[in-house]
Amino acid sequence: MELSLSTYDSGDHTVLEVGGEVDVYTAPRLREKLVELVETGARHVVVDLSRVEFLDSTGLGVLVGALKRLRAVNGTFGLVCAHERLLKIFRITALDRVFSLYDSVAAATAAAGSDTEPTA
């Protein structure tokens, strides 16, 4: 399965919609896109994983890297992840305590400017 990436602005947030599979083969494309967003000035990034069918450890590593990169520039990073199969991965790896996880883009952007209380 292919990886699809598209971005749009929602207020002062940049939303990256991800679809398909994020694995060892496709994760480099996701990493490149996230690095590009930060390098071009995005400071409040929401990654929408609603259409992701599969996420492996390489994909998790890319997301951790993006979180670190945004924190280094006083930015914020939220993940929209409402599917139980993906939430389970975050719980098992304890990354649900590291990332701000939301059940919708609206909830993520409403958290306006801080990595605070997740809603999912």
Side-chain angles (χ1 to χ4, degrees):
M1 177 172 257
E2 276 297 306
L3 178 71
S4 66
L5 301 171
S6 62
T7 59
Y8 66 91
D9 292 327
S10 178
D12 63 346
H13 290 78
T14 301
V15 179
L16 173 59
E17 292 180 319
V18 183
E21 296 183 359
V22 182
D23 58 21
V24 68
Y25 302 106
T26 60
R29 283 188 49 218
L30 178 58
R31 179 183 297 111
E32 289 169 13
K33 186 63 175 177
L34 287 164
V35 168
E36 173 191 316
L37 290 174
V38 176
E39 287 180 350
T40 59
R43 292 297 174 260
H44 304 291
V45 175
V46 173
V47 176
D48 184 354
L49 301 174
S50 300
R51 296 184 302 120
V52 170
E53 301 295 323
F54 177 80
L55 178 68
D56 73 1
S57 60
T58 307
L60 288 173
V62 167
L63 296 174
V64 169
L67 174 64
K68 289 180 180 179
R69 184 170 279 110
L70 278 155
R71 283 185 176 167
V73 296
N74 296 316
T76 62
F77 187 72
L79 296 176
V80 175
C81 183
H83 296 301
E84 186 57 36
R85 70 182 179 284
L86 292 182
L87 287 170
K88 185 175 180 181
I89 294 167
F90 287 100
R91 285 190 207 107
I92 289 170
T93 59
L95 288 172
D96 61 333
R97 297 184 207 141
V98 175
F99 289 108
S100 295
L101 299 172
Y102 302 94
D103 56 5
S104 69
V105 171
T109 58
S114 65
D115 280 330
T116 58
E117 298 303 309
T119 59

